[in-house]
Amino acid sequence: MALITMRQAITDALREEMRRDETVFIMGEEVGVWGGSYAVTRGFYDEFGAKRVRDTPISEMAIGGVAVGAAMNGLRPVAEFMTINFAFLALDQLVNHAAKVHYMFGGQIKCPAVFRAPGGSGRQLGATHSHTPDVIFAHFPGLKVVSPGTPYDAKGLLKSAIRTEDPVLFIEHQALYQVRGEVPEGDYVVPIGKSDVKREGDDVTIVAYAQGLQVALEAAKQLAEEGIEAEVVDLRSLRPLDMGPVLDSFRKTFRAVVVEEGWRSYGIGAEVAARLQEEGFDFMDAPVKRVAQLETPLPYSRELEQAALINKDRVVAAVKEIV
Amino acid sequence: MDKATLLDWYRQMVLVRRFEQRSAELYQLGKIGGFLHLYIGQEAVAVGSIGARRKQDHVITAYRDHAHALVVGTDPGALMAELLGKETGISKGRGGSMHMADVAHNYWGGYGIVGGHVPLGTGIALAEQYNGTDAVVLCYMGDGSTNIGYFHESLNLAGVWDLPVIYIVENNQYGMGTAVDRASAVPDISTKALAYGMEPKKVDGMNVIEVYEATRDAIAAIHDGKGPQFLDVITYRYEGHSMGDPLRYRTKEEVAKWREDDPIGVLERYILEKKIAGKETLEDIDQEVEKVIEQAVDFAEKSPFPALDTLFDNIYVEA
Ligand SMILES: Cc1ncc(C[n+]2csc(CCOP(=O)(O)OP(=O)(O)O)c2C)c(N)n1
Ligand SMILES: [Mg+2]
């Protein structure tokens, strides 16, 4: 075990997969000579060369489509969107091609492409650069969407993403790049589509993922000091969504809070709450609470931005309303 | 051109035309649903260009995609079955008219989003370059697609990366009802190639031999290290954009004028004038094609619809 950052975990996963499999290559803006906008691919250009670490023009539509085409024809591209805010320009490729070609052509075509995209808010980047639009991408059957909350999961999930025969959107949280965690030496994978209990407790279930997981764990710590034991379930994958551990926990705690960094409307909380009432109605002792971003474009000014975002106190308050 | 090739091209063009005419009839009968975009008038483009391709070369196009499938050698029965939504269809009844692929023949489809497949074709070419093969991609699109961002981003990237791809614009003068000069700031589409370091080339798309030669030369140019290629192939569709087009945007006279250059007629005259074959030979071919089409329809009609419990098949490779 080593204590490494999430950035390092992602870098290690990429490097190990590229060494393992010649068909894996990286493409995106500033991934090569620059070393990656978030320094995830630093040193790759020197190790793997221009053929496998491909700097692209600023052409998100082409990055999306070319990655899909290359994957259809046998390669394993890892395409990087500089941030998820720019992936909107490639939404059509993700939705209409990556998510569709296998089904629409009766199983003839596979698309084993990975799209990496840093997302998240809270860095005073203003309204255009601060989205957490994960649910938009998770809406489409055919695409897999994962977003890790720990370095361990980041490395294992990225390896799974690269190895699966299906297209995967891998959402990295900018604020988590510096977070450290235990990661074993050597090869391992974390399966896509498996939620994971990150903290055990009997009083309330907190469902979260990515940055929300860190917020939920902080809140759980404070609640514990006040005698409330929260169970924290990390979704890790948004599609396929694994409700198993969430329901197991809910059948024990009878109450749940869902934490997400994106907006509340039509969000993860909406989905999880709906599933809980469909599949766990008999265990429901209180309304399912949602802690999410307030419904406004994010402002630049620091205090104002923070006022719109999720934090530990809001999660604690939501828990106390139902416990 | 040798006799066998010319006769085969004639056969293929007649096959495409008859296939399209038959599918229009089946559409009128309500047996085909959704959109149906016919290729009638453009036959020389698919036949001539695919005539120049080698087995290892790839083909990808937009939603006007039946012809390319027929010409690469897809079983007409599987195509007709696809139109009828049958399990035996080339895309198992999941794709329909706009989404037919036959990967066994390096035919990647069939895409319904205008221009959306242009980066896919470019990516397919990237994979060939990556693997160090000599295969190229024939990436077809309509004139209307040259105005969408995909076109520009893809051609630029292909230029920067020197990818083995030939962009073939099937310039049939209209995108739905909008004439080229009402949609493109440069009415001469071939000049768009210049912005991406490619030579502008215009080809008579009603003449199968010229289309063949232009494509053959483009493949050779790629192999000579000249990078991606661009062909502006001038053609015309006789029928509406899709079924039910009110055709308010063009005159009957205009259509009649283009029909004088009918691609099948042009080749037929060439074959007869050059005494490559006689009228009876061509009529025999027509008869043969008729049989193939009837067999295809028969196969499609008799095939089963997909079982309802297969609805969720193939969403993922690894569910
Ligand atoms: C992105 C997108 N916008 C609009 C449409 C609707 N549409 C379908 S075909 C078409 C015209 C395309 O014309 P062209 O590229 O010249 O091809 P042609 O139909 O002439 O073969 C339009 C606007 C679409 N399918 N996709
Ligand atoms: Mg057109």
Side-chain angles (χ1 to χ4, degrees):
Chain A
M1 285 280 182
L3 199 64
I4 62 171
T5 61
M6 173 118 72
R7 183 193 333 270
Q8 189 64 49
I10 294 168
T11 301
D12 289 351
L14 281 172
R15 184 180 287 117
E16 287 170 25
E17 290 305 291
M18 286 183 75
R19 286 179 183 166
R20 186 186 61 78
D21 182 350
E22 281 283 322
T23 66
V24 178
F25 73 98
I26 290 173
M27 59 183 282
E29 294 159 20
E30 308 297 351
V31 296
V33 175
W34 183 292
S37 301
Y38 291 88
V40 168
T41 53
R42 185 173 291 166
F44 279 48
Y45 192 77
D46 290 336
E47 176 173 353
F48 298 105
K51 177 182 164 191
R52 297 184 67 197
V53 186
R54 309 183 71 97
D55 282 320
T56 68
I58 309 159
S59 301
E60 277 74 14
M61 296 169 78
I63 293 170
V66 167
V68 173
M72 286 163 49
N73 197 17
L75 299 184
R76 290 187 179 272
V78 180
E80 176 177 317
F81 295 116
M82 190 178 274
T83 82
I84 203 162
N85 305 285
F86 316 140
F88 293 133
L89 281 90
L91 187 63
D92 174 49
Q93 287 301 330
L94 297 177
V95 167
N96 276 316
H97 296 154
K100 301 293 195 292
V101 289
H102 188 60
Y103 188 89
M104 189 167 77
F105 296 115
Q108 290 181 76
I109 297 179
K110 291 188 294 193
C111 179
V114 178
F115 302 91
R116 289 181 42 238
S121 48
R123 297 175 62 232
Q124 282 196 274
L125 294 174
T128 61
H129 279 56
S130 304
H131 287 101
T132 308
D134 311 356
V135 285
I136 292 178
F137 299 96
H139 189 61
F140 302 95
L143 190 64
K144 293 176 174 174
V145 179
V146 303
S147 189
T150 67
Y152 177 89
D153 287 343
K155 184 170 179 187
L157 276 172
L158 185 50
K159 288 196 168 216
S160 288
I162 291 170
R163 293 179 196 183
T164 183
E165 299 293 338
D166 296 305
V168 182
L169 175 65
F170 188 90
I171 304 173
E172 298 163 17
H173 199 288
Q174 296 168 20
L176 296 183
Y177 279 132
Q178 299 295 359
V179 166
R180 283 173 191 276
E182 294 281 356
V183 174
E185 311 283 340
D187 193 44
Y188 69 93
V189 294
V190 170
I192 293 171
K194 290 273 176 259
S195 301
D196 184 44
V197 176
K198 287 290 194 301
R199 182 188 195 284
E200 290 184 10
D202 289 335
D203 298 327
V204 62
T205 302
I206 305 179
V207 182
Y209 74 99
Q211 157 87 335
L213 173 67
Q214 300 295 337
V215 174
L217 289 171
E218 281 172 41
K221 210 164 147 197
Q222 180 175 327
L223 288 163
E225 286 161 16
E226 301 176 34
I228 300 170
E229 290 299 335
E231 183 142 299
V232 178
V233 184
D234 179 5
L235 295 176
R236 300 196 292 197
S237 297
L238 303 182
R239 187 181 278 274
L241 177 64
D242 174 22
M243 282 296 290
V246 179
L247 281 160
D248 288 347
S249 178
F250 191 63
R251 291 193 191 102
K252 181 170 75 173
T253 64
F254 312 117
R255 26 180 75 73
V257 173
V258 188
V259 181
E260 67 190 303
E261 191 178 349
W263 290 297
R264 176 198 310 253
S265 301
Y266 314 102
I268 308 281
E271 179 64 30
V272 170
R275 300 256 200 133
L276 284 174
Q277 63 87 15
E278 284 164 358
E279 294 162 42
F281 187 72
D282 292 344
F283 298 89
M284 196 168 275
D285 274 3
V288 176
K289 288 279 161 192
R290 291 183 280 167
V291 177
Q293 190 175 136
L294 304 187
E295 308 257 340
T296 168
L298 275 183
Y300 161 74
S301 187
R302 196 179 137 70
E303 300 273 301
L304 208 53
E305 181 186 26
Q306 289 301 323
L309 299 181
I310 57 170
N311 57 41
K312 178 189 67 173
D313 294 343
R314 288 180 57 201
V315 177
V316 168
V319 167
K320 286 184 177 167
E321 277 183 57
I322 54 170
V323 172
Chain B
M1 296 306 357
D2 63 79
K3 175 177 172 179
T5 304
L6 289 171
L7 289 180
D8 196 41
W9 287 349
Y10 176 84
R11 183 189 63 79
Q12 289 177 10
M13 288 204 281
V14 174
L15 176 69
V16 169
R17 180 155 306 182
R18 286 300 298 138
F19 184 93
E20 298 292 59
Q21 288 169 340
R22 266 312 254 138
S23 52
E25 287 166 28
L26 293 168
Y27 191 91
Q28 305 295 3
L29 292 171
K31 296 193 175 179
I32 297 174
F35 290 145
L36 183 71
H37 306 89
L38 304 180
Y39 201 72
I40 298 173
Q42 301 180 208
E43 293 89 346
V45 186
V47 172
S49 53
I50 294 172
R53 92 167 177 148
R54 294 112 6 107
K55 252 217 199 81
Q56 64 268 36
D57 298 329
H58 302 274
V59 173
I60 188 167
T61 188
Y63 44 83
R64 203 177 293 286
D65 60 344
H66 315 161
H68 308 77
L70 288 164
V71 180
V72 298
T74 305
D75 170 22
L79 296 175
M80 201 53 96
E82 187 61 35
L83 293 180
L84 268 58
K86 299 298 181 76
E87 179 68 25
T88 54
I90 191 70
S91 301
K92 297 199 166 152
R94 271 62 169 184
S97 165
M98 298 195 286
H99 309 115
M100 296 176 161
D102 182 2
V103 174
H105 285 96
N106 279 344
Y107 179 48
W108 295 91
Y111 293 86
I113 305 297
V114 167
H117 69 289
V118 180
L120 298 186
T122 308
I124 290 167
L126 169 62
E128 294 301 334
Q129 183 195 59
Y130 191 96
N131 290 327
T133 76
D134 74 344
V136 308
V137 177
L138 309 186
C139 182
Y140 298 81
M141 71 195 86
D143 45 278
S145 327
T146 68
N147 302 314
I148 203 163
Y150 278 129
F151 171 85
H152 300 276
E153 293 196 5
S154 301
L155 268 70
N156 184 61
L157 191 63
V160 171
W161 285 356
D162 203 20
L163 298 177
V165 51
I166 306 170
Y167 297 105
I168 301 176
V169 178
E170 302 203 36
N171 184 349
N172 62 9
Q173 316 302 317
Y174 295 91
M176 291 187 71
T178 307
V180 168
D181 62 1
R182 292 177 60 218
S184 177
V186 285
D188 180 353
I189 285 175
S190 73
T191 61
K192 294 186 181 184
L194 290 167
Y196 306 109
M198 299 172 213
E199 256 180 70
K201 289 204 194 90
K202 263 199 221 185
V203 183
D204 176 0
M206 305 310 256
N207 186 321
V208 68
I209 299 173
E210 288 195 23
V211 177
Y212 163 80
E213 287 171 349
T215 312
R216 179 199 60 197
D217 293 350
I219 295 172
I222 290 176
H223 291 150
D224 284 351
K226 298 203 173 111
Q229 301 289 307
F230 184 91
L231 303 177
D232 177 14
V233 185
I234 312 300
T235 182
Y236 201 79
R237 70 168 152 72
Y238 297 164
E239 303 297 324
H241 165 72
S242 62
M243 303 300 285
D245 176 347
L247 288 172
R248 284 200 200 91
Y249 49 86
R250 65 186 196 187
T251 62
K252 291 208 170 69
E253 292 71 38
E254 179 183 303
V255 181
K257 182 106 193 48
W258 279 90
R259 276 186 183 274
E260 289 169 16
D261 286 331
D262 181 80
I264 298 178
V266 168
L267 181 61
E268 183 177 337
R269 284 201 294 277
Y270 182 88
I271 289 171
L272 296 177
E273 277 163 23
K274 299 252 172 192
K275 301 210 182 340
I276 292 160
K279 190 93 193 136
E280 316 72 56
T281 309
L282 299 185
E283 280 168 7
D284 286 349
I285 293 174
D286 294 348
Q287 290 306 314
E288 249 176 68
V289 166
E290 214 54 46
K291 264 191 233 143
V292 170
I293 297 291
E294 281 326 304
Q295 276 166 9
V297 173
D298 190 53
F299 170 79
E301 298 255 32
K302 286 184 177 144
S303 290
F305 287 106
L308 296 186
D309 64 5
T310 63
L311 180 62
F312 297 100
D313 288 2
N314 292 321
I315 297 173
Y316 295 104
V317 183
E318 299 166 9

